[in-house]
Amino acid sequence: MSAREVPDGLMVSGLRTRRSFGMGNLSKEATIGAAVVLTADGLIGSRHPASLLVTLPLTGAVVGLAAVRRRGMSALAYYRARLAWWRAYRAGATSYRRVLLPQPFSLDLPGVGASSSLIAAHDPTTGRKVGVVHDRSTGRMTVSTLLAPGGSLMAQTGTVRSGLRTWGEVLNTMATAEQIKGASVTIQITPGAGEALADDVRTRRRPDAPQLSLDTIDELVRTTPQATAQVVSWMSVTTDPCATINPPSDLAEQVGETLRVVDTLDMSGTGTDMLRRATPTDLRRIVRSAYDPGVALARDEQFDELQWGECGPVAADDWIESYAHDGAVSASWVLEEMPRRPIPYSVLLPLLAPGRFQRRITLGYRVLEPREGEALLEREISAAEHRAQATAEVKGRARWSQKADYQRAEQAARQVAAGAQVVDWTLSVTTTARTAADLPAALQELKLAVAGTRGIRMRPAFGAQAAVFAAGLPIGYNPLVR
């Protein structure tokens, strides 16, 4: 569905990249750092003028790197990420091999999931087990809910508009609930081989049906596996059960408080159906099959007895632009910038279309408290105004992009004043190939999908492949939650 076919009521606007005030293309931190360094150069040069021959070119080079863009980010940040990865590589921190270690390290996931543990809780409302991921370092807990997304491309305009409005109400609930720290929605598309479809059709096929119908069904079964996919989606909510006046005293009460808080989020009417809270077996299957895609179709009994640490990779190597794990290779991309124009609600459809390789799309959310959101927008408006004034003083007028950015900041402030919420959010995509030789083809497929969105700009997660890979899994890690 193109933007021209979408009614104005189903266009989404108000997306804006947070920008601090800085000189030129420099951020606020880079501007302050450059001013401090230049002041130090001046003080040193007043006593030792010859030192300016070294300090000034060096400072100019660093400031230039901070102002120039490289691979979707500032050149200084890009080379700093590569340097940090190289130092970690030299120290052996980019390679993981599961070995027998003393407790508790033998039961830990690698990387950002090392402090997580899986708790099998009992939900009294449904009588089922619920998997609760506990972060031992922060005390936060994460509960995941399996979803069954309903298609909305053929729904009526009023139905889609109601779903968007209901999702906004869910975000409003997250803003007013102090114990909810963040959430993420993940959709995983795995290309299907077609065996399940063929088996289902074979059991329902009637031999007395018209020959034309039988031929049509046989043709569909033969060609459809190239376009079928297994779609699994879930929503993970991260909470801090102790962020209340009367915090729970022990772990059992914290789990109960977490389940109570998560139950306050009503997803009905958002265009998706809640299947159930993810059980410990569900979480083990999702995590283990992400690291080893070969076990994705295994029976539940093979995951029941797995320890949480055994769900991670047996061996993994974190490279600068890829992540090798248990016989598969993945590459993760992160959001660089959203379109500055209004976009249709179906803008992510090209990323969600099935392809030859497994793909996992994750939307991370952190809803700011009302006061924090208002203060943030006031700072953004001031920064946008100062940037325009500084450019006008130097060049005689502000750039049109700066004027438009100031107008978008004012529009966001008006929306917040009318009751809207400020949301920090991000988008990440992970594609997985079975062999390293297939990774270039998987990346090409991902690039075409990103280009199909017509405006969304993404870039590789340089030096953070393992972390972004884990952010798309229900292990309690959300990069927006600090």
Side-chain angles (χ1 to χ4, degrees):
M1 180 179 292
S2 65
R4 293 187 297 272
E5 298 171 344
V6 178
D8 293 339
L10 299 183
M11 302 294 287
V12 181
S13 60
L15 305 176
R16 182 180 177 275
T17 303
R18 184 186 298 187
R19 295 181 176 89
S20 58
F21 174 68
M23 298 300 297
N25 293 328
L26 298 179
S27 63
K28 178 181 178 180
E29 293 76 11
T31 301
I32 295 176
V36 172
V37 172
L38 288 175
T39 301
D41 291 344
L43 294 176
I44 297 175
S46 62
R47 295 188 177 184
H48 306 283
S51 65
L52 295 177
L53 298 176
V54 178
T55 58
L56 286 181
L58 182 61
T59 301
V62 174
V63 173
L65 288 176
V68 175
R69 304 291 292 180
R70 168 80 172 169
R71 303 292 296 273
M73 55 198 303
S74 69
L76 182 62
Y78 171 75
Y79 290 116
R80 185 170 57 187
R82 296 193 68 97
L83 178 61
W85 177 87
W86 181 80
R87 293 179 59 186
Y89 174 77
R90 291 293 300 270
T94 60
S95 295
Y96 171 81
R97 301 293 182 270
R98 187 192 299 171
V99 295
L100 295 178
L101 296 175
Q103 295 282 358
F105 306 105
S106 60
L107 303 179
D108 289 344
L109 292 175
V112 294
S115 60
S116 66
S117 60
L118 180 61
I119 300 174
H122 176 75
D123 189 357
T125 59
T126 61
R128 297 176 179 175
K129 288 186 177 180
V130 177
V132 180
V133 178
H134 178 220
D135 191 331
R136 300 188 300 269
S137 62
T138 62
R140 300 191 184 101
M141 295 186 175
T142 301
V143 176
S144 298
T145 303
L146 300 183
L147 306 175
S152 59
L153 293 180
M154 300 183 67
Q156 297 181 356
T157 301
T159 302
V160 179
R161 190 176 301 168
S162 176
L164 294 175
R165 184 168 55 251
T166 305
W167 179 246
E169 295 175 358
V170 173
L171 296 179
N172 289 338
T173 303
M174 293 173 57
T176 55
E178 296 182 358
Q179 293 172 294
I180 298 180
K181 299 303 179 182
S184 63
V185 177
T186 301
I187 300 178
Q188 180 173 284
I189 302 100
T190 304
E195 289 86 353
L197 176 64
D199 294 340
D200 182 66
V201 172
R202 188 179 299 110
T203 59
R204 302 168 61 182
R205 190 174 187 271
R206 295 184 54 179
D208 58 342
Q211 188 60 38
L212 178 61
S213 301
L214 295 177
D215 294 340
T216 303
I217 290 296
D218 293 339
E219 180 68 18
L220 287 174
V221 170
R222 185 167 57 254
T223 59
T224 298
Q226 302 178 3
T228 59
Q230 179 188 23
V231 180
V232 181
S233 56
W234 62 88
M235 179 178 181
S236 299
V237 180
T238 301
T239 68
D240 185 358
C242 296
T244 181
I245 298 177
N246 298 316
S249 58
D250 56 13
L251 187 61
E253 292 184 0
Q254 293 176 14
V255 172
E257 182 68 13
T258 296
L259 295 177
R260 185 195 65 79
V261 172
V262 173
D263 285 339
T264 60
L265 295 178
D266 185 10
M267 299 291 294
S268 60
T270 59
T272 184
D273 295 327
M274 296 175 56
L275 294 180
R276 65 177 185 275
R277 302 294 183 200
T279 64
T281 300
D282 293 330
L283 297 180
R284 295 189 190 102
R285 173 186 288 277
I286 292 174
V287 176
R288 183 65 196 133
S289 60
Y291 286 105
D292 185 6
V295 301
L297 301 179
R299 298 181 180 274
D300 288 344
E301 291 78 7
Q302 299 186 24
F303 301 96
D304 289 340
E305 303 301 327
L306 282 181
Q307 298 291 337
W308 185 238
E310 295 174 337
C311 297
V314 176
D317 292 292
D318 187 10
W319 302 107
I320 188 70
E321 294 188 35
S322 63
Y323 183 50
H325 49 89
D326 284 4
V329 184
S330 296
S332 298
W333 285 24
V334 294
L335 180 66
E336 179 184 347
E337 187 178 9
M338 288 293 291
R340 300 178 183 180
R341 54 177 171 78
I343 57 177
Y345 75 100
S346 57
V347 66
L348 295 181
L349 186 60
L351 287 174
L352 302 176
R356 292 176 51 201
F357 302 94
Q358 185 186 76
R359 191 181 304 156
R360 189 165 54 252
I361 301 95
T362 301
L363 282 165
Y365 298 93
R366 185 178 76 92
V367 184
L368 278 62
E369 297 179 355
R371 292 183 180 178
E372 182 183 1
E374 292 179 3
L376 171 64
L377 288 178
E378 290 297 331
R379 291 194 300 268
E380 290 293 303
I381 292 175
S382 298
E385 184 179 8
H386 290 162
R387 281 194 300 271
Q389 290 178 353
T391 304
E393 292 176 358
V394 174
K395 297 185 176 181
R397 66 173 181 85
R399 295 196 296 265
W400 286 108
S401 60
Q402 293 175 334
K403 295 180 180 179
D405 183 64
Y406 177 74
Q407 293 175 357
R408 286 194 297 270
E410 281 192 324
Q411 178 185 2
R414 286 193 296 268
Q415 292 174 346
V416 170
Q421 302 296 334
V422 180
V423 181
D424 268 347
W425 68 279
T426 186
L427 171 68
S428 63
V429 180
T430 298
T431 182
T432 300
R434 292 299 182 93
T435 63
D438 291 334
L439 185 60
L443 286 174
Q444 183 180 19
E445 184 178 87
L446 176 58
K447 292 177 182 177
L448 292 176
V450 173
T453 61
R454 299 182 181 181
I456 295 180
R457 298 167 60 183
M458 304 191 71
R459 62 171 177 81
F462 298 106
Q465 290 290 318
V468 177
F469 181 93
L473 301 178
I475 64 173
Y477 172 68
N478 189 328
L480 298 179
V481 178
R482 302 175 180 87

